[in-house]
Amino acid sequence: VFVSVIIPVRNMATSLPAQLEALATQRTTRQFEVIVADHGSSDGLAFVVEAFVGRFEHLVVVDASTCTGVADVRNTAVRGSVGEVLAFCDADDVVHPDWLQSITAPVLVSYCLAVGSRSGLIAGSVAPPEDAWPTGSTPKVVMGHLTSGDSCNMSMRRSDFDAIHGFDTAFQRSSDIDFAWRIQYAGVPVARVPSAQVMLRDPNTAKET
């Protein structure tokens, strides 16, 4: 099974290298591609990606400059990908060395939406050593309704993504919660995966995608 890792990006040239480095050093048996969806960056992002081309078997930049928001960017990235399984993360975060193996594991066993855990904030430019990662928490039930999603740390089969037509582009915020609810309405359960850890960058220093 081939996996497409989707990363929406807009003016993240300073933070994207840490995420690409984390993906390039994954401990995984999965074959995967990385899709960087560029939402009109003007900070030399192309040079950053070019520096990592030799580190991946497949690293693709998708032009998402005309998209109307991050939900649209993610949908555009998926259309430019080929994986049977989709995994989503963000340009200003850093995934754990076992992230890809963990976040896709339940999806390979059954039809589900796998949601990983947030493990605190990055102090400085990179995540702490592996033995210093704090225990993370996975998304919970929102507004007493259904379990939410987390677009910086989720995975599903492409067929399930396509069945609900991806992220709703009418949402400028919380499109991941809407996505998680709609995929559950379609009969696809949520699998929480605490071991699929992502460390977030301090929001005071991160730019919005």
Side-chain angles (χ1 to χ4, degrees):
V1 173
F2 195 71
V3 180
S4 295
V5 177
I6 306 297
I7 311 177
V9 183
R10 185 176 185 180
N11 292 332
M12 291 281 184
T14 58
S15 57
L16 180 61
Q19 184 68 294
L20 291 179
E21 180 65 29
L23 289 168
T25 54
Q26 287 289 290
R27 295 187 294 239
T28 182
T29 59
R30 320 283 189 235
Q31 286 188 299
F32 69 100
E33 65 177 354
V34 175
I35 306 294
V36 175
D38 185 3
H39 190 198
S41 298
S42 58
D43 61 349
L45 180 74
F47 295 104
V48 171
V49 177
E50 180 65 26
F52 280 88
V53 167
R55 305 286 303 281
F56 296 94
E57 186 174 353
H58 304 280
L59 175 60
V60 180
V61 176
V62 170
D63 182 5
S65 57
T66 62
C67 290
T68 57
V70 70
D72 195 11
V73 173
R74 291 190 174 100
N75 291 344
T76 298
V78 170
R79 289 193 293 270
S81 70
V82 298
E84 301 162 72
V85 171
L86 307 172
F88 292 84
C89 59
D90 283 349
D92 54 339
D93 301 334
V94 174
V95 296
H96 187 275
D98 296 320
W99 174 76
L100 186 61
Q101 192 77 8
S102 296
I103 197 63
T104 56
V107 179
L108 298 181
V109 174
S110 63
Y111 288 90
C112 67
L113 170 67
V115 293
S117 63
R118 296 187 176 200
S119 302
L121 299 178
I122 302 169
S125 59
V126 297
E130 184 178 347
D131 59 1
W133 279 63
T135 302
S137 60
T138 56
K140 306 298 183 183
V141 172
V142 176
M143 293 184 285
H145 189 46
L146 294 171
T147 302
S148 69
D150 201 336
S151 54
C152 71
N153 192 356
M154 63 166 57
S155 180
M156 76 292 301
R157 298 190 187 196
R158 175 185 289 272
S159 57
D160 291 333
F161 183 93
D162 290 343
I164 64 169
H165 308 292
F167 292 94
D168 189 336
T169 58
F171 286 85
Q172 292 299 311
R173 294 181 179 275
S174 303
S175 60
D176 47 3
I177 296 175
D178 168 76
F179 179 91
W181 285 4
R182 285 188 294 111
I183 205 169
Q184 288 173 86
Y185 296 156
V188 178
V190 168
R192 293 195 178 114
V193 191
S195 60
Q197 293 180 277
V198 168
M199 190 162 289
L200 280 63
R201 197 170 299 276
D202 188 334
N204 294 319
T205 61
K207 298 179 181 177
E208 186 175 345
T209 57

